[in-house]
Amino acid sequence: MSQPPGTALLGRLAVHLKMISLEQLAEATREQSKGDPPKRLGDILTDKGFITQKQLAKLVQAQQQVIAKQRSQAAEKAPASAAAPSPAPAPAAARASGDVELDRILREGIAKGASDVHFHSGVGVQLRVSGALVPLAGAPLEPAAAERMLISALPEAEAKILAEHFELDFCLEVAGVGRFRGNLYRQQRGLDAVFRYIPAEPPSLEQLGLPSTLARFTGYHQGLVLVTGPSGCGKSSTLAALVNLINEERREHILTIEDPVEYVHRSKRCLVNQRSVHRHTESFARALRAALREDPDVIVIGELRDLETISLALTAAETGHLVLATLHTDNAIRTINRVIGSYPSDAQGQVRTMLSESLRAVISQRLIPRADGKGRVAALETLIVNKAVGNLIREDKTFQIQSILQTGASQGMALLDASIQQHVKSGAIARAEALRYCADPKNLAA
């Protein structure tokens, strides 16, 4: 459910002026999301006793001043922006003349509900549908024919990279279908490829079946928000939905660094620039170092892969930027330990302090097949870093965060197992399937 205009700004101002805490803002926005039509945020804050009517009047006045200033600045920039077109989306691979068959197979795969299309030399095409691989009718791909078809989708420069390194990440676009993130790699039978489908428009939280309460994580103006989980669990889509919310609600500069660019975000209220590693920049680390001089408000990192990237992301979060990123970890506590553990032991004490002050939230998710066989449903573990969690990170007692996740439902926190249990109760997923994903199956069995 969309919020009334100005809601995000009013909430941010209330936190900035120290009238309310982030936890109180989260509670108020949760209540607001339940209303139809939604109540005004200011009314909820006064009803709950978080602020007085006098403070609300001050907030509204400050909100009006900010909006007037934004409009004035926009008017001053209008002549220049009218002459300059919106930033062009990162280009997908140039289409070649010999890839008609590739296009046909990709179209057919998406029509059958595939999230990924696998091309394997010597084997038939495989589709990943609702998490399982399903063969696409047709003869096995002869290695030579498979190689000709796949390389035909590449521009000359990327074909040279494949020849040199034997593997390649890239994107291509199929007219009327959308974009695909492709990975080409050589194996013993020949050249193989996997294409991940990326819709033409970024998704909304509602379209992904995610709770609207996740929108609170777009309200921060500084800090680190991590979306984690195993490969194929929908991290990129969740990240894209959060970025799209910021793009629709704020007037800021969003800079994304990806390998390759997946969802294309066209500038809405925000100015969005997207950079692809190896195409527009040498590496994540090099792009992040440069980003601090490019006046971004929000930095989006496709993946935290190494110590240098993690270190630069933490620095950016500490220096007044909102940093959104993904990480391949399977729960919130392991995410924190992974970040700290990537540093040398003699630096970990300082990193704990940095992380306790900069980390805002961790969203860890899984995609679980639905009981009716129609797609998958997202189960989430959500950690909000409040004062208690920050202290446990600083004191190297992250194992105790488990109990805060168990008891923090009123603040919007949840363990993965609790989210899975809710889906079982609602009938969205079968108990037998849920047991495969629970961290402690005994809880679900009980």
Side-chain angles (χ1 to χ4, degrees), residues 318-339:
E318 275 199 315
T319 54
H321 304 84
L322 174 60
V323 180
L324 307 176
T326 73
L327 194 61
H328 284 279
T329 48
D330 60 2
N331 64 34
I333 295 175
R334 288 196 182 100
T335 297
I336 295 169
N337 291 338
R338 165 80 179 278
V339 172

Side-chain angles (χ1 to χ4, degrees), residues 102-122:
L102 175 62
D103 273 15
R104 184 194 66 77
I105 294 173
L106 291 175
R107 288 177 187 276
E108 185 176 351
I110 299 311
K112 292 181 180 295
S115 61
D116 301 81
V117 182
H118 289 239
F119 294 79
H120 298 289
S121 294

Side-chain angles (χ1 to χ4, degrees), residues 268-435:
K268 296 179 182 176
R269 290 174 63 89
C270 289
L271 171 66
V272 185
N273 286 315
Q274 297 185 259
R275 306 190 70 195
S276 180
V277 174
H278 305 308
R279 181 185 287 270
H280 307 129
T281 181
E282 186 178 281
S283 65
F284 279 102
R286 189 178 184 90
L288 273 169
R289 282 194 294 269
L292 299 181
R293 301 189 295 273
E294 292 161 3
D295 191 31
D297 300 286
V298 181
I299 301 173
V300 182
I301 306 170
E303 184 183 346
L304 297 179
R305 294 183 175 177
D306 51 39
L307 172 58
E308 188 174 16
T309 307
I310 292 172
S311 177
L312 288 165
L314 268 177
T315 299
E318 275 199 315
T319 54
H321 304 84
L322 174 60
V323 180
L324 307 176
T326 73
L327 194 61
H328 284 279
T329 48
D330 60 2
N331 64 34
I333 295 175
R334 288 196 182 100
T335 297
I336 295 169
N337 291 338
R338 165 80 179 278
V339 172
I340 296 170
S342 64
Y343 286 81
S345 56
D346 59 350
Q348 289 180 6
Q350 180 184 356
V351 173
R352 287 191 194 96
T353 300
M354 291 172 60
L355 196 61
S356 70
E357 295 171 352
S358 297
L359 186 63
R360 296 289 175 262
V362 179
I363 305 164
S364 184
Q365 67 182 61
R366 300 290 187 283
L367 289 180
I368 303 176
R370 300 183 67 92
D372 58 10
K374 299 178 180 178
R376 292 180 288 177
V377 64
L380 303 181
E381 178 164 292
T382 309
L383 173 68
I384 299 172
V385 182
N386 55 22
K387 186 175 180 180
V389 173
N391 287 337
L392 292 177
I393 295 173
R394 189 181 302 109
E395 296 168 7
D396 193 18
K397 297 178 180 178
T398 53
F399 62 92
Q400 293 183 14
I401 293 175
Q402 179 90 357
S403 61
I404 294 179
L405 282 166
Q406 289 174 327
T407 59
S410 63
Q411 299 178 48
M413 301 197 213
L415 278 168
L416 180 67
D417 284 8
S419 177
I420 292 174
Q421 287 172 0
Q422 288 298 320
H423 287 311
V424 171
K425 288 180 181 178
S426 70
I429 59 178
R431 180 176 294 273
E433 193 70 41
L435 289 169

Side-chain angles (χ1 to χ4, degrees), residues 97-160:
S97 59
D99 57 10
V100 175
E101 180 66 8
L102 175 62
D103 273 15
R104 184 194 66 77
I105 294 173
L106 291 175
R107 288 177 187 276
E108 185 176 351
I110 299 311
K112 292 181 180 295
S115 61
D116 301 81
V117 182
H118 289 239
F119 294 79
H120 298 289
S121 294
V123 183
V125 175
Q126 303 276 319
L127 308 178
R128 188 170 293 279
V129 180
S130 298
L133 284 178
V134 179
L136 182 67
L141 293 171
E142 293 298 326
E147 181 152 346
R148 282 195 303 272
M149 177 174 61
L150 295 171
I151 291 181
S152 72
L154 301 177
E156 185 178 351
E158 292 188 333
K160 288 181 179 178

Side-chain angles (χ1 to χ4, degrees), residues 40 49 70 111 117 139 181 192 213 217 237 258 263 282 321 326 340 364 421:
R40 292 186 300 180
Q70 289 174 341
V117 182
R181 183 189 73 198
D192 285 12
T213 51
F217 300 137
S237 295
E258 304 168 74
Y263 288 94
E282 186 178 281
H321 304 84
T326 73
I340 296 170
S364 184
Q421 287 172 0

